[in-house]
Amino acid sequence: MTPHPWSLAGRTVLLTGAAGAVGKAAAAAFTEAGAKVVGVDRNKDALVSLIATGALADGLAGDLTDAEFVAQIVADQPEVDVLVNNVGAGTSLILADTTDDVLDHMVEINLRTAFRLCRAYAPGMAERRRGKVINLSSVLGMHPVPTVAAYAAAKASLIGFTKSIALEYAGRGVQCNVLAPGYLAGPKNAEYFDSDVGQQFVKRFMPTGRVGPEDALNGPLLFLASGMSDHMTGQVLVVDGGYSIW
């Protein structure tokens, strides 16, 4: 029987940020599609819980800004078919208050973590003539707002980086794409979007009248990870409920 083009059976997915709202939903979706999903996160207890529920096949707990931990990941999982760089962090500061340390942290967590893992895994994917790299940027990397200069700079850099490696590996069976989400529901954003200010923001800037659910990225992630996207590389797939139309 010919495998369904959405199927990830026999594929290993390395998913960073696996314990966050997006990561948890994605882990379950990848597993349901037949993949062996290895989650990476600082939250060891959450990884253990996801393994217990069957959403993850395995988990590696540690800090991705630590080069030794990255080396440990590669030693534990030397071959992956799909690399999803989902770890990240934001900040909200006016430019005058954005120190070099803040900028360095934004670049470290939002760009360098993905850079190191791509550098570790893309050559092996190319040797096997098969692989998918999905880097999670943000709509704010293309359509920023005031007070996110450092975050927007890092996320925009991630887009440029992904396009460059997409060209480098395009002829060797590896597709490298960016997923750029907009505002999503979840614990981090709940207080803001439940407030009067947050509600006014949704009414003014969200054409759909709502922020995205926690599993809003599942379909796009499965598309980019599967054979359905084999002729797509170096692209930015925006999933923002129409926010960037304005």
Side-chain angles (χ1 to χ4, degrees):
M1 179 181 294
T2 303
H4 193 281
W6 287 100
S7 174
L8 296 178
R11 308 289 178 93
T12 297
V13 175
L14 184 72
L15 171 66
T16 71
V22 169
K24 288 179 181 178
F30 283 136
T31 296
E32 188 174 352
K36 170 191 172 183
V37 186
V38 180
V40 179
D41 203 281
R42 289 182 298 180
N43 190 334
K44 183 177 181 179
D45 291 341
L47 292 177
V48 170
S49 177
L50 288 167
I51 293 170
T53 63
L56 291 178
D58 198 2
L60 298 167
D63 185 349
L64 281 168
T65 66
D66 180 353
E68 290 186 3
F69 177 58
V70 174
Q72 177 188 332
I73 293 171
V74 177
D76 188 86
Q77 298 291 329
E79 292 187 6
V80 301
D81 302 292
V82 181
L83 170 62
V84 183
N85 285 302
N86 172 53
V87 71
T91 187
S92 180
L93 293 167
I94 63 172
L95 181 59
D97 292 338
T98 304
T99 64
D100 285 358
D101 286 343
V102 170
L103 177 60
D104 287 346
H105 178 64
M106 288 296 98
V107 170
E108 184 71 25
I109 193 69
N110 293 301
L111 176 62
R112 285 202 182 101
T113 56
F115 189 104
R116 292 185 184 112
L117 286 173
C118 289
R119 184 174 59 193
Y121 284 111
M125 291 178 176
E127 288 180 7
R128 298 188 297 277
R129 310 289 299 183
R130 185 181 79 179
K132 303 279 187 175
V133 173
I134 308 170
N135 290 330
L136 273 287
S137 179
S138 167
V139 70
L140 295 178
M142 298 174 291
H143 300 274
V145 297
T147 75
V148 299
Y151 176 74
K155 287 299 192 181
S157 296
L158 182 61
I159 292 172
F161 163 70
T162 307
K163 287 177 177 286
S164 178
I165 64 170
L167 283 171
E168 184 174 345
Y169 288 98
R172 291 184 275 174
V174 182
Q175 292 82 50
C176 308
N177 291 293
V178 175
L179 188 57
Y183 295 96
L184 301 176
K188 290 182 179 179
N189 299 325
E191 183 176 354
Y192 174 73
F193 286 118
D194 286 342
S195 70
D196 290 340
V197 174
Q199 289 296 313
Q200 288 302 314
F201 176 90
V202 171
K203 290 179 182 178
R204 171 65 179 84
F205 293 108
M206 297 301 300
T208 58
R210 64 187 179 95
V211 296
E214 295 179 0
D215 63 355
L217 304 185
N218 285 4
L221 282 168
L222 287 171
F223 167 68
L224 291 176
S226 73
M228 296 291 284
S229 60
D230 281 353
H231 197 54
M232 176 179 174
T233 195
Q235 302 304 307
V236 182
L237 184 57
V238 177
V239 184
D240 67 353
Y243 167 80
S244 58
I245 296 173
W246 296 111

